[in-house]
Amino acid sequence: MKILVTGGAGYIGSHMVKLLVEKGYDVLTFDNLSNGYEWAVVNRKLIVGDLLNYKLLEEVLLDYKPHAVMHFAAKVSVPESVEKPLLYYENNFCGTLNLLQAMKRSNIKLLIFSSTAAVYGIPKEVPVKEHSPTHPISPYGWSKLFSEQAIKDFSKAEGIKYGILRYFNVAGADPEGKIGQVSKNPTHLILRALKTAKGELPHLEVYGTDYPTPDGTCIRDYIHVMDLCQAHLDVLNYLMNGGESEVFNVGYGRGYSVLEVIEAVKKVTGVDFKVVTAQRRAGDPPEIVADPSKLKQLVGWKPVYDDLHYIIKTAWDWERSCDKLCI
């Protein structure tokens, strides 16, 4: 079975490609390498291209003729989206529209879409269910919600099947140490904490300590990247076996505060690095935790890496080795 993975040279996409290749799928990656790396594509089947280049995208789909598309390609920084909203609407939303149009032209009927818990904004209930109100508080969240709606409308008109996966906080690295997260300007808490422990950053900023949470810092649901990728594969199999198009939350259903994560990073690394308090960032909800019961019950997803310290350990092992591997 052929799978086209957009954004397959990036953090999550590259782990997805690795899993698919290990399971025997024929995988082609389409990535502009703006936040991805050629070495991260384990099977080396890569087309360097941008979703905004419709002509190239259509040519690739018509030539490769994939049975399904897994769509990861997107810009994902909430703070950057607040500063550059049009960039996010163009890249994330317009790029998705181009992909849908190319799928129509190529008669591709299966799509797995990488969405985000940011579509919920500040949730009224925690843990969050898929039917919870969606009202993003950042352009990043809106760009993903607009894309979701376009996919749903396109599905009704063209008869495609889709799985929309709303991620919570993805972290960790390939347990085998072959690939992991690399960022020129990291914004994710665990990666920034590890780089601080490693000595690459002078200190770690905690953005806001006055949230309405037990210790005043934001609470998030952290999921290991390989459990997330397995969820994509499980949803693909569910759709191929006759399942209906659905939206799924992907998380563990358990939240950790920023300060709890920092303490866990210090324990795993053995480094007592400097932490400083900074102002809140725009677009950060106080608490967001997934209710993944729909994914487990309907699709049969069974996470295997649900342990914050293990998530951090795999990320730390990768962080210490990637200087010589990431050439």
Side-chain angles (χ1 to χ4, degrees):
M1 183 177 181
K2 294 182 176 181
I3 309 290
L4 179 80
V5 179
T6 72
Y11 170 42
I12 300 172
S14 63
H15 286 79
M16 189 73 245
V17 170
K18 182 177 185 290
L19 179 61
L20 289 169
V21 169
E22 289 173 348
K23 297 294 185 180
Y25 291 85
D26 182 341
V27 185
L28 178 65
T29 291
F30 187 89
D31 197 300
N32 66 8
L33 300 183
S34 61
N35 288 298
Y37 301 87
E38 188 172 354
W39 55 259
V41 182
V42 296
N43 66 346
R44 301 296 187 265
K45 291 181 63 176
L46 168 68
I47 301 294
V48 179
D50 198 294
L51 291 179
L52 297 178
N53 184 347
Y54 178 78
K55 182 178 180 181
L56 175 61
L57 179 60
E58 183 182 271
E59 288 175 355
V60 170
L61 289 180
L62 287 170
D63 179 63
Y64 183 56
K65 297 181 176 62
H67 298 92
V69 173
M70 289 189 172
H71 179 25
F72 294 87
K75 291 189 176 297
V76 299
S77 170
V78 169
E80 183 185 49
S81 79
V82 175
E83 297 171 1
K84 303 175 181 178
L86 296 185
L87 175 64
Y88 275 67
Y89 291 127
E90 178 182 44
N91 188 85
N92 296 359
F93 180 53
C94 295
T96 298
L97 295 184
N98 274 356
L99 179 61
L100 294 175
Q101 183 64 35
M103 287 179 61
K104 177 181 178 180
R105 178 78 172 82
S106 310
N107 196 34
I108 299 167
K109 298 296 186 181
L110 279 173
L111 174 65
I112 308 297
F113 177 59
S114 164
S115 192
T116 171
V119 301
Y120 296 114
I122 300 176
K124 295 181 178 179
E125 61 174 353
V126 177
V128 182
K129 299 180 182 296
E130 289 84 356
H131 62 256
S132 297
T134 51
H135 191 78
I137 58 175
S138 69
Y140 166 62
W142 280 111
S143 73
K144 287 292 193 175
L145 188 60
F146 290 158
S147 296
E148 285 191 14
Q149 190 59 50
I151 291 168
K152 293 174 182 178
D153 292 339
F154 181 72
S155 173
K156 291 177 182 177
E158 300 296 332
I160 74 161
K161 281 189 175 182
Y162 64 81
I164 293 172
L165 282 74
R166 292 173 176 166
Y167 308 173
F168 284 63
N169 281 53
V170 188
D174 167 32
E176 295 179 355
K178 295 180 179 179
I179 54 175
Q181 187 174 16
V182 177
S183 177
K184 300 169 186 174
N185 185 26
T187 59
H188 294 176
L189 173 61
I190 289 177
L191 183 56
R192 287 188 63 83
L194 292 175
K195 286 188 174 296
T196 307
K198 196 178 173 186
E200 292 184 9
L201 297 175
H203 56 259
L204 178 67
E205 299 92 349
V206 175
Y207 297 105
T209 57
D210 58 348
Y211 286 96
T213 60
D215 65 17
T217 64
C218 292
I219 294 174
R220 297 290 183 268
D221 187 338
Y222 293 88
I223 178 173
H224 193 279
V225 63
M226 292 311 299
D227 275 339
L228 176 70
C229 291
Q230 185 61 53
H232 286 73
L233 188 54
D234 290 345
V235 170
L236 176 64
N237 290 330
Y238 159 79
L239 293 174
M240 291 181 62
N241 290 326
E244 295 299 319
S245 298
E246 292 285 354
V247 176
F248 299 98
N249 285 335
V250 195
Y252 291 144
R254 180 188 304 107
Y256 295 93
S257 74
V258 171
L259 295 183
E260 287 174 327
V261 171
I262 290 172
E263 286 307 308
V265 171
K266 288 182 176 182
K267 183 175 181 179
V268 170
T269 63
V271 180
D272 186 15
F273 50 85
K274 183 179 180 181
V275 178
V276 300
T277 300
Q279 295 295 317
R280 291 188 182 190
R281 296 185 303 185
D284 277 344
E287 179 178 7
I288 188 160
V289 175
D291 179 345
S293 57
K294 181 179 179 182
L295 182 65
K296 291 180 177 180
Q297 295 168 8
L298 198 60
V299 176
W301 178 62
K302 296 179 181 178
V304 297
Y305 301 117
D306 182 5
D307 180 274
L308 180 62
H309 289 83
Y310 181 78
I311 292 171
I312 294 169
K313 180 185 181 301
T314 59
W316 179 234
D317 289 345
W318 166 255
E319 187 62 31
R320 288 184 294 172
S321 67
C322 70
D323 288 341
K324 58 179 180 287
L325 292 175
C326 304
I327 301 173

